[in-house]
């Protein structure tokens, strides 16, 4: 899978045929690194390195600790899932990250509002992670491009358009339903509960992106 420059996986050359997923939290040391690396891991498990070409998964923080390593407890959570934590470097969210992103998935509604407030026509491609999960569950996969025929990039673009069209019709049961709470400074048990929450939210998203369901015991 393609990764952003300097983020630990070699960049592959594509000519306009990429799809960038940007995960956003506050410090970019807990929630968004966990989500980024679980997402990368799941995509690779489902499709293999060859077929994930063109999908770029990255993260940043609205108050990002620029240059920081992820929290040790976040690394431990990733190890629980067999995901790679190596080479991670924290980033502060910049305009260029939002401009380049095809899909922005945030930890909370406040993060979503901050991304949208940056402009760059981000509204139609920015969701909380759990909001996006709820929306993709309602999308008939038969209406999406076949990833083998048209590629995962075209499928991903169609998925975002379909989710944006549904947003006003499928509201959260409660405001808290779309939140992933911050485990910063919490014990490992809370980090693991947040990791499992993110894992559960990512599963239908990765299935919708790839057209490949998870194998038992794997994302």
């Amino acid at each position: 899978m393609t990764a952003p420059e300097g983020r630990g996986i070699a960049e592959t050359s594509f000519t306009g045929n990429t799809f960038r997923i940007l995960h956003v939290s506050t410090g970019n040391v807990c929630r968004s690194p966990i989500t980024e690396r679980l997402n990368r891991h799941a995509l690779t498990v489902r499709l293999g390195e060859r077929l994930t070409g063109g999908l770029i998964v990255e993260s940043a923080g609205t108050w990002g600790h620029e240059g920081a390593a992820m929290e040790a407890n976040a690394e431990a959570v990733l190890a629980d899932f067999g995901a790679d934590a190596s080479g991670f470097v924290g980033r502060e969210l910049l305009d260029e990250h939002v401009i380049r992103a095809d899909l922005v998935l945030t930890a909370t509604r406040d993060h979503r509002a901050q991304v949208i407030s940056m402009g760059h026509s981000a509204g139609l491609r920015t969701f909380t992670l759990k909001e996006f999960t709820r929306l993709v569950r309602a999308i008939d996969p038969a209406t999406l491009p076949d990833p083998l025929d048209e590629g995962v990039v075209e499928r991903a673009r169609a998925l975002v358009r379909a989710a944006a069209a549904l947003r006003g019709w499928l509201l959260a049961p409660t405001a808290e339903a779309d939140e992933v709470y911050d485990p910063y400074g919490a014990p490992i048990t809370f980090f693991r509960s947040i990791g499992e929450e993110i894992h559960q939210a990512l599963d239908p998203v990765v299935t919708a992106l790839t057209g490949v369901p998870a194998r038992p015991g794997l994302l």
Side-chain angles (χ1 to χ4, degrees), residues 42-65:
L43 289 168
T44 301
V45 167
R46 306 280 183 99
L47 294 177
E49 289 284 353
R50 182 178 63 84
L51 292 178
T52 54
L55 295 178
I56 301 170
V57 184
E58 55 190 345
S59 63
T62 55
W63 290 87
H65 300 297

Side-chain angles (χ1 to χ4, degrees), residues 202-216:
L202 276 174
D203 176 58
V205 172
V206 176
T207 298
L209 283 169
T210 64
V212 180
R215 298 196 298 259

Side-chain angles (χ1 to χ4, degrees), residues 77-184:
V77 167
L78 291 173
D80 290 343
F81 288 101
D84 183 15
S86 65
F88 181 84
V89 179
R91 304 190 303 176
E92 183 174 354
L93 182 67
L94 302 176
D95 289 80
E96 67 188 68
H97 302 144
V98 177
I99 291 167
R100 294 191 303 174
D102 298 286
L103 172 62
V104 184
L105 297 176
T106 70
T108 69
R109 292 168 296 144
D110 282 347
H111 297 133
R112 182 184 64 194
Q114 289 179 66
V115 171
I116 293 172
S117 73
M118 295 171 74
H120 315 302
S121 304
L124 290 177
R125 50 196 166 88
T126 303
F127 310 79
T128 74
L129 171 62
K130 289 186 174 181
E131 174 190 21
F132 196 66
T133 300
R134 182 175 67 255
L135 296 172
V136 300
R137 285 184 188 276
I139 296 168
D140 181 354
T143 65
L144 299 173
D146 187 313
L148 295 179
D149 291 338
E150 300 182 58
V152 292
V153 168
E154 286 306 314
R155 185 180 178 94
R157 289 172 180 161
L159 183 67
V160 173
R161 291 193 296 269
L166 284 174
R167 179 162 19 207
W169 298 93
L170 292 175
L171 302 179
T174 66
E176 290 72 26
D178 282 343
E179 304 284 287
V180 175
Y181 291 106
D182 193 355
Y184 185 77

